Amino acid sequence: MNDLVTKQISEAMSRVGEKDLRQAVEWFRCKGYLVETEKEVNPDLEITGLQKIFDGSLPMLFNNVKGMPHARAITNLFGDIRVVEELFGWKDSLERVKKVAHAIDHPLKPIIIGQDEAPVQEEVITDDLDVNKWLTAIRHTPLETEMTIGSGISCVVGPYFDGGSHIGYNRMNFRWGNVGTFQISPGSHMWQVMTEHYKDDEPIPLTMCFGVPPSCTYVAGAGFDYAILPKGCDEIGIAGAIQGSPVRLVKCRTIDAYTLADAEYVLEGYLHPRDKRYETAESEAADIQGRFHFHPEWAGYMGKAYKAPTFHVTAITMRKRESKPIIFPLGVHTSDDANIDTSVRESAIFALCERLQPGIIQNVHIPYCMTDWGGCIIQVKKRNQIEEGWQRNFLAAILACSQGMRLAIAVSEDVDIYSMDDIMWCLTTRVNPQTDILNPLPGGRGQTFMPAERMTSGDKQWTASNTQFEGGMGIDATVPYGYENDFHRPVYGVDLVKPENFFGAKDIEKMKSRMAGWVLSLARTGR
């Protein structure tokens, strides 16, 4: 290995918060975190099938995508949150939660570069706009009748977002060449933009970006935390603060808008709010919304096909095709998706509690099983009697401000919030069912993605307008202030002994290999 190669590897391994997806891929590769293959992969079921088999594991790069000779695909990009934390230079999840909460309040303004400098505009296509020819659509499960593009990140900068910037996920199905359905969740930032301009004479200019810088992927998963991330905030600036340098923007070629200059692909075009079409031919033929399977949802159930606004593409820009641009065909209800959707949300909930009363909130975690936006666990520390009860204020505020939140749990500082076994033990031993279970928002508005909510529509089509959010539940599982001694957990002397002084390495490894579940947390903490 020559000195130049050694230097390049050293630089790649020392970088923190890579500025674009290609740099991140090289960082993964140098760290030994990237698994790649030259075998042909079919985007119809195979990519997501492999992702699910290795759910929560390392990024997988497919260099040969069936039917897409110009493209590569990567998945499991955010599958292991420990890898993501290392990528951005955070020592652990607690530091991640706190530093991203700080970034929310201290965005780093993006910069604008010339069109001749923008990697994503190395090629500009305006005459061959069959989107499915250029962008890798996938099918998640055999239950779906059509492919979908769910990895597109909408980008709205400037007047249409009250002077700020928005980046977020919207699923699309390009059934008509350059025209595709554009699904928007009720209450989301894009919903806010669309609602304000619904009756405008002109459609809404925006872009859909693919293969974006990892910091933008991180922030694009933020959603339904608009007390902390209101319309007009600078989400691209937050991404810049996370990566430690400004995100680069570039003026679009065919619309009056700006987009992410370091993306792999960009679709320029217009959102037509009143041109609504069915997401699948099956639902169109039946003329029924909310019945036929299409695209899994974050709650862990199959999604349904609806009528949605449409996005009309005016240009496709991309990096040079001989460089094989990378798309990130995100599989839904995977650890990859869950980490993207929950990471900023954890920090936003931390920031919300900190604003209500500083110093009490210690950490926030949203386990995979709490389904992205469906729940959270907050950890608090009561320093005096006056602070008893703030945990309930926090729970009520979280349920009110986080659309779709169904279950919020508060625990004390002695609980391992990353162990669901510890959480279940806490619920079993510390909750009074008469006084500690809260339902502060009956009749409130939220995201209606749970199957039980379907029953409220009766015989009507299952749409956001005729299903009712059932509300959220808060559980106070904290130790009452002043009773800490009564709730004191036994702590064994795990720090006082060294297993290697008594057993050989093989015996230690053999014994540890048998350990699973709650004992891992208990053995680590000595509880």
Side-chain angles (χ1 to χ4, degrees), residues 227-261:
I228 301 300
L229 294 164
K231 186 168 180 276
C233 72
D234 187 4
E235 291 190 320
I236 296 176
I238 295 169
I242 288 172
Q243 72 177 22
S245 64
V247 173
R248 305 197 305 174
L249 302 179
V250 64
K251 185 73 184 296
C252 294
R253 296 297 185 109
T254 59
I255 62 174
D256 186 16
Y258 289 88
T259 193
L260 301 177

Side-chain angles (χ1 to χ4, degrees), residues 396-410:
I398 292 165
L399 291 166
C401 295
S402 305
Q403 293 182 41
M405 181 71 70
R406 296 277 301 228
L407 175 60
I409 301 171

Side-chain angles (χ1 to χ4, degrees), residues 378-417:
I378 65 170
Q379 188 172 52
V380 300
K381 182 177 181 179
K382 305 168 190 175
R383 297 165 294 187
N384 50 61
Q385 183 63 50
I386 297 297
E387 292 180 344
E388 176 61 66
W390 268 111
Q391 73 277 8
R392 299 191 177 214
N393 292 54
F394 294 164
L395 292 172
I398 292 165
L399 291 166
C401 295
S402 305
Q403 293 182 41
M405 181 71 70
R406 296 277 301 228
L407 175 60
I409 301 171
V411 299
S412 295
E413 67 271 23
D414 66 329
V415 175
D416 181 357
I417 64 173

Side-chain angles (χ1 to χ4, degrees), residues 186 288-291 304-307 445 448 453-454 456-457 460-468:
I288 294 176
Q289 295 190 73
R291 178 176 297 176
K304 301 296 189 294
Y306 300 94
K307 262 189 172 180
R445 172 55 62 187
T448 54
E453 287 151 352
R454 186 187 188 110
T456 62
S457 66
K460 300 177 183 177
Q461 297 183 47
W462 189 20
T463 65
S465 61
N466 56 34
T467 54
Q468 182 180 344

Side-chain angles (χ1 to χ4, degrees), residues 257-492:
Y258 289 88
T259 193
L260 301 177
D262 292 300
E264 297 282 306
Y265 304 85
V266 161
L267 302 179
E268 299 182 4
Y270 295 92
L271 176 66
H272 290 249
R274 288 172 288 166
D275 179 12
K276 295 183 178 179
R277 309 186 192 184
Y278 280 101
E279 291 187 283
T280 65
E282 183 182 33
S283 58
E284 182 177 11
D287 194 22
I288 294 176
Q289 295 190 73
R291 178 176 297 176
F292 299 103
H293 293 310
F294 183 62
H295 196 278
E297 284 292 359
W298 54 269
Y301 296 97
M302 278 304 301
K304 301 296 189 294
Y306 300 94
K307 262 189 172 180
T310 49
F311 184 65
H312 299 237
V313 176
T314 55
I316 301 172
T317 72
M318 57 189 281
R319 300 194 183 212
K320 291 179 181 178
R321 70 188 74 181
E322 56 264 30
S323 73
K324 299 196 74 171
I326 307 169
I327 194 169
F328 175 28
L330 180 64
V332 182
H333 189 54
T334 62
S335 183
D336 202 357
D337 164 64
N339 286 332
I340 291 170
D341 286 348
T342 60
S343 292
V344 172
R345 190 170 177 82
E346 289 172 344
S347 296
I349 291 170
F350 184 94
L352 175 66
C353 298
E354 187 70 3
R355 291 182 188 186
L356 289 172
Q357 189 61 221
I360 300 173
I361 187 74
Q362 302 298 301
N363 201 355
V364 180
H365 180 47
I366 302 174
Y368 188 1
C369 60
M370 294 185 94
T371 65
D372 295 16
W373 298 301
C376 74
I377 299 166
I378 65 170
Q379 188 172 52
V380 300
K381 182 177 181 179
K382 305 168 190 175
R383 297 165 294 187
N384 50 61
Q385 183 63 50
I386 297 297
E387 292 180 344
E388 176 61 66
W390 268 111
Q391 73 277 8
R392 299 191 177 214
N393 292 54
F394 294 164
L395 292 172
I398 292 165
L399 291 166
C401 295
S402 305
Q403 293 182 41
M405 181 71 70
R406 296 277 301 228
L407 175 60
I409 301 171
V411 299
S412 295
E413 67 271 23
D414 66 329
V415 175
D416 181 357
I417 64 173
Y418 299 102
S419 167
M420 288 308 294
D421 292 288
D422 222 32
I423 298 300
M424 287 304 300
W425 170 85
C426 193
L427 294 178
T428 304
T429 65
R430 294 184 175 179
V431 174
N432 183 334
Q434 304 300 319
T435 59
D436 292 335
I437 299 177
L438 318 174
N439 181 17
L441 288 171
R445 172 55 62 187
Q447 295 298 309
T448 54
F449 280 112
M450 306 302 173
E453 287 151 352
R454 186 187 188 110
M455 295 184 294
T456 62
S457 66
D459 294 330
K460 300 177 183 177
Q461 297 183 47
W462 189 20
T463 65
S465 61
N466 56 34
T467 54
Q468 182 180 344
F469 180 61
E470 296 176 331
M473 175 173 60
I475 301 180
D476 182 1
T478 62
V479 172
Y481 184 81
Y483 290 85
E484 292 81 7
N485 192 53
D486 299 285
F487 287 85
H488 206 296
R489 301 175 70 169
V491 181
Y492 292 82

Side-chain angles (χ1 to χ4, degrees), residues 191-223:
W191 182 272
Q192 295 166 18
V193 171
M194 181 183 69
T195 299
E196 181 179 353
H197 298 281
Y198 190 81
K199 295 184 179 180
D200 286 4
D201 293 332
E202 300 296 325
I204 301 167
L206 60 91
T207 63
M208 296 300 295
C209 307
F210 301 82
V212 303
S215 63
C216 294
T217 295
Y218 192 99
V219 175

